[in-house]
Structures are given as C-alpha cells and as structure tokens.
C-alpha cells in the first residue's frame, strides 16, 4: 500500500515539475535568448567597450542591451571583423520578441525568420527588423538611438 502512495506522490511531483517547464518554455518567448546588459545612453547614443562584452569577440556573437531613458531593447551582432549591427528585438509581424539562433533570428510566435543583419528571410513578416546606426572604432562600438529607415 505504501508503495502505491509513494508512487502517486512521485507522479504528482513530476507532473508539477513538467507543468512548470511548460510555463517556463512559454515565457521564454519573451526573451532573445542572449546575455542581457543594462547600459547608459548619453546624447542619443550608446558607447560600448568591446572588451567588456566577450560575446562580441567572435563573428556571429551577439548581446542584448537595455538602455536607460529609452523604450525597447536592442540586439548587437558582430557581423564581421570590423562591423556590427544594432537591431530592435521586436518582430515586425506582430511585435513578439525574436530569438537568436546561431546564424539567424526567429520569431517564436509565427516563425518569421531574419538574417543576422535583420533582413526578412521568411515571413509572415514583410519588413526587416528596425535597425540603428552602429559602427566600430578601435575597441569601441557606437550606436545611435535614432533608427534608420530601410
């Protein structure tokens, strides 16, 4: 008898953990899946010291930044030895947060796919991710918070 009760208790615990996993997986659609940093903006721009963000040390590496005083989040992607892009993490289809895969971004809501520069590869999205001017100079990344029209 006690074995059956122990088994029931064990199954209840497993069931609770599994349901928790489902909830956690559903909530993960709200994140880019990248390491996130809170940074300060000044004069409509953000300046990042490349040495402080090891994820940007390799081509294809990316981080998410949240900045004070400005709405939204940006994803910074190292696309070559000498260049980076700064993109909004908001899908242009219905506003979900895109997730970074090894070589592209995908929206978890409806499957829109973007390349690492934010261009639409597969719909339903029809517009590229919002892009912000970004440049590398020596070991600095400078991002203007005024978006580019594409």
């Amino acid at each position: 008898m006690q074995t059956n009760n122990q088994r029931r208790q064990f199954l209840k615990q497993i069931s609770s953990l599994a349901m928790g996993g489902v909830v956690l997986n559903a909530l993960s659609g709200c994140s880019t899946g990248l390491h996130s940093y809170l940074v300060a903006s000044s004069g409509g721009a953000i300046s990042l010291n490349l040495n402080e963000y090891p994820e940007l040390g390799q081509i294809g590496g990316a981080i998410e930044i949240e900045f004070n005083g400005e709405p939204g989040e940006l994803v910074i992607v190292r696309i070559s030895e000498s260049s980076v892009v700064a993109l909004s993490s908001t899908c242009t289809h219905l506003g979900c947060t895109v997730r970074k895969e090894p070589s592209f971004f995908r929206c978890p809501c409806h499957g829109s796919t973007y390349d690492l520069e934010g261009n639409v590869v597969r719909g339903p999205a029809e517009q590229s991710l919002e892009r912000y001017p970004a440049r590398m100079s020596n070991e600095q990344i400078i991002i203007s918070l005024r978006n580019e029209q594409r």
Side-chain angles (χ1 to χ4, degrees):
M1 245 338 139
Q2 187 152 352
T3 305
N4 284 339
N5 286 337
Q6 290 172 335
R7 188 175 354 179
R8 281 190 194 110
Q9 184 64 26
F10 174 75
L11 291 173
K12 279 184 183 180
Q13 290 173 340
I14 293 296
S15 176
S16 294
L17 290 173
M19 288 302 290
V22 168
V23 171
L24 287 176
N25 283 339
L27 292 175
S28 70
C30 298
S31 166
T32 60
L34 298 171
H35 192 178
S36 185
Y37 295 92
L38 179 61
V39 299
S41 62
S42 176
I46 295 171
S47 179
L48 305 174
N49 183 332
L50 187 58
N51 296 322
E52 295 176 16
Y53 305 93
E55 300 89 346
L56 297 175
Q58 62 184 358
I59 296 171
I63 61 170
E64 174 182 68
I65 59 173
E66 298 177 38
F67 45 95
N68 57 356
E70 300 291 334
E73 299 171 344
L74 295 180
V75 174
I76 313 305
V77 183
R78 180 86 177 257
I79 57 171
S80 74
E81 280 299 319
S82 59
S83 63
V84 295
V85 294
L87 306 167
S88 169
S89 60
T90 303
C91 179
T92 58
H93 177 233
L94 291 177
C96 296
T97 301
V98 298
R99 291 192 54 83
K100 168 97 170 40
E101 302 290 340
S103 60
F104 58 90
F105 291 97
R106 177 174 293 144
C107 179
C109 297
H110 298 104
S112 293
T113 305
Y114 304 87
D115 66 18
L116 291 182
E117 294 187 43
N119 301 305
V120 176
V121 174
R122 192 183 95 204
E126 296 178 1
Q127 296 179 348
S128 299
L129 294 174
E130 192 172 8
R131 190 168 173 169
Y132 294 78
R135 63 183 169 82
M136 288 179 59
S137 177
N138 297 322
E139 297 297 315
Q140 289 292 112
I141 298 171
I142 311 298
I143 304 154
S144 172
L145 297 178
R146 293 171 190 86
N147 65 334
E148 296 177 337
Q149 297 299 321
R150 297 178 76 182

